Amino acid sequence: MQSALDPAGVEAQAVYWLFWICVIGGAIIWVGVMAVLFYAGRGGREAISQKAGQRIILIGGVLFPTVVLAALLSYALWLMPTVRPVTAQANSRLTLDVTSEQFWWRIAYPPEGDLPGFETANEIRLPLGERVGFRLHAADVIHSFWVPALGGKMDMIPGRTNFLSLEATRPGLYRAPCAEFCGTSHAVMGLTVVVMEQSAFDAWRKAQAQLQPVAAASGTAPRPATGNGPVVAADQTDRGQDGLAIFQRHGCAACHALRGTTAQGKIGPDLTRLGERATLAAGALPNTQEALAAFIRNPQKAKPGALMPAFPMIPPEELATLADYLRASP
Amino acid sequence: MRSFIPREIETLWTLFTAPVVWAFHFVVCYVVMAIACAKGSGSIEGLMGLRLFLGGFTLFCLLLIVGSAYLAWRQWGFGTDTPPHDAPTRQERQLFQGFATLLLSGLSFISVVFVALPLLFIPACMP
């Protein structure tokens, strides 16, 4: 799932071949050097002439390394347009903005045609066989974006935008680690990349884009039966209203957004359609009700150094309802 | 023809010629490319002229290094004597310097080629 040796993208394929050519070439040269060493180390041999010695140095020490290095350098340079497809990138139809924060990923899909843009977190969905561009940003410290199965890595630097583009060649679910130490939870800052068939991707994107934040002043939405009366979208189920009321009452919406409701917090990850994501807390936990409840109760346990405060005051039954609601929403 | 070639003189400057050309070539290549990319003329078409110019500059630098290597070869006696030239005489010192200069010229030649190789393969600036 997270391996550069199991490539599922055009760039990763190029890196894969580069790796094996270097490994095999290195092994052959090593064996050759060892063979010469053993040959030279045999006892009882006559000293070779100075002229022969100079010839060995010239061929083995100058010509051979020069030719090998020139070949390797040319191969690597020749690969560069494939590994970093600068011109193809400019023509990619879809370009995402990915912002890394301690310790999660903010992902923005742009508007397309009638579809408005939307923001999501910690999981990127990509269409199969289409080149997708990435504008990479960092909100706090240096992070690095790396989907080993799809391509090479690119640093994310505060105050700077870096570019990358990837083309996936095989559908599947791939893990991407943050590849630059960024703090205490660096090791549990993971990103899930889901490569989907074009039609499935289009349907997913449409469903996501249709969920837009609901204005709090909207007069058409009904008031929920419980809670302190936040306005919610009309399509919430009773249970959902319960969960949403709990979400609002405990102040979750100050940091988190649930598109399709009035919750529009921008500080933490967007939680819309959390249930469809492969993992919780940027790859730190499995996406289960128990894990989500435990994370809300004490986020520091799974993600030391995370900015989210602990919520031990939420009663267990409310916590279970909230976790169910978030995983089922919308 | 003979008059174009400098007289043999005993100075360390001949030793430095090739590495200095290598350093100069390196700086020119990197600075010129950095300026062109920063100014946004980094498209494939925009970069073509610059690549050709730097290609020509590379050939010029290689010629200088070959010239320096020829002088070194002459100083080394065209290879009639074999190293290590470690006797404490003026003649041996000259031969040693010539041989060292020849080797440095070879290194500089390869280095200039390696520095210039990206010109062949990379058509545009990274965004």
Side-chain angles (χ1 to χ4, degrees):
Chain A
M1 175 172 164
Q2 179 192 315
S3 171
L5 297 181
D6 184 18
V10 175
E11 290 77 23
Q13 192 73 45
V15 174
Y16 175 79
W17 281 112
L18 178 66
F19 172 78
W20 278 115
I21 285 171
C22 285
V23 167
I24 294 169
I28 291 171
I29 290 172
W30 183 80
V31 168
V33 170
M34 286 299 128
V36 171
L37 191 67
F38 278 115
Y39 177 74
R42 285 187 319 165
R45 275 166 32 82
E46 298 274 310
I48 56 172
S49 72
Q50 189 173 4
K51 197 152 191 146
Q54 280 176 348
R55 196 179 306 129
I56 288 174
I57 291 174
L58 184 69
I59 293 172
V62 179
L63 291 180
F64 182 69
T66 304
V67 169
V68 169
L69 286 177
L72 277 180
L73 180 63
S74 301
Y75 176 53
L77 289 169
W78 173 76
L79 269 186
M80 277 189 88
T82 315
V83 179
R84 293 275 186 263
V86 181
T87 45
Q89 180 175 318
N91 302 327
S92 56
R93 214 158 51 86
L94 174 62
T95 299
L96 308 182
D97 282 282
V98 181
T99 309
S100 51
E101 311 200 8
Q102 284 173 321
F103 301 93
W104 60 281
W105 313 82
R106 188 191 294 275
I107 297 140
Y109 282 77
E112 191 195 29
D114 299 338
L115 290 180
F118 60 91
E119 196 174 276
T120 177
N122 299 333
E123 188 165 299
I124 293 180
R125 297 204 172 212
L126 301 177
L128 179 68
E130 189 186 322
R131 181 155 296 285
V132 178
F134 295 88
R135 279 186 292 264
L136 304 173
H137 321 270
D140 35 38
V141 298
I142 298 178
H143 303 264
S144 187
F145 182 86
W146 186 33
V147 193
L150 298 186
K153 69 180 77 161
M154 180 65 84
D155 277 0
M156 307 168 96
I157 296 165
R160 197 188 147 85
T161 301
N162 278 346
F163 297 90
L164 185 73
S165 82
L166 298 171
E167 184 178 334
T169 52
R170 181 152 50 86
L173 194 136
Y174 309 102
R175 186 177 186 272
C178 175
E180 184 76 50
F181 181 76
C182 59
T184 43
S185 276
H186 163 68
V188 280
M189 180 171 167
L191 172 71
T192 307
V193 177
V194 183
V195 176
M196 312 166 83
E197 298 287 349
Q198 184 75 50
S199 55
F201 172 78
D202 288 341
W204 172 83
R205 188 177 179 187
K206 193 172 174 193
Q208 282 277 7
Q210 280 168 349
L211 284 170
Q212 289 297 320
V214 174
S218 162
T220 55
R223 286 185 173 273
T226 57
N228 295 331
V231 182
V232 300
D235 61 351
Q236 301 296 330
T237 62
D238 286 341
R239 192 159 186 224
Q241 284 186 6
D242 265 353
L244 183 60
I246 295 166
F247 189 84
Q248 300 277 26
R249 190 161 65 244
H250 291 287
C252 308
C255 295
H256 295 287
L258 279 176
R259 281 177 282 114
T261 77
T262 55
Q264 292 178 39
K266 288 281 175 199
I267 295 168
D270 182 295
L271 299 179
T272 312
R273 293 171 70 118
L274 185 68
E276 73 180 13
R277 294 184 200 162
T279 64
L280 293 177
L285 296 168
N287 194 347
T288 64
Q289 193 239 39
E290 297 75 30
L292 180 53
F295 184 78
I296 296 170
R297 188 166 282 278
N298 183 13
Q300 298 295 322
K301 192 172 176 198
K303 290 200 95 126
L307 288 178
M308 177 167 161
F311 287 83
M313 73 295 274
I314 304 181
E317 57 281 8
E318 280 196 15
L319 195 56
T321 309
L322 178 61
D324 277 340
Y325 166 73
L326 286 174
R327 294 186 64 250
S329 71
Chain B
M1 183 67 204
R2 188 83 191 156
S3 58
F4 282 108
I5 302 167
R7 211 162 45 83
E8 273 193 67
I9 42 167
E10 194 179 337
T11 163
L12 274 180
W13 276 110
T14 54
L15 189 71
F16 299 146
T17 309
V20 166
V21 171
W22 167 19
F24 185 62
H25 174 262
F26 184 96
V27 169
V28 168
C29 283
Y30 275 69
V31 168
V32 164
M33 269 298 166
I35 291 173
C37 288
K39 283 185 177 291
S41 51
S43 66
I44 290 184
E45 301 77 30
L47 223 53
M48 202 54 196
L50 200 55
R51 287 166 75 194
L52 288 173
F53 164 73
L54 287 178
F57 178 65
T58 300
L59 286 180
F60 172 71
C61 290
L62 290 176
L63 273 178
L64 285 182
I65 291 172
V66 168
S68 144
Y70 176 79
L71 293 183
W73 190 34
R74 185 182 65 176
Q75 192 181 355
W76 186 42
F78 298 104
T80 48
D81 208 346
T82 49
H85 312 301
D86 51 358
T89 64
R90 186 193 165 94
Q91 160 81 353
E92 287 279 276
R93 201 163 60 238
Q94 277 240 354
L95 290 176
F96 175 82
Q97 195 192 328
F99 187 53
T101 308
L102 185 62
L103 292 182
L104 267 178
S105 300
L107 177 68
S108 304
F109 187 93
I110 294 164
S111 303
V112 166
V113 171
F114 280 12
V115 168
L117 267 182
L119 291 170
L120 278 183
F121 295 102
I122 301 178
C125 301
M126 295 286 164

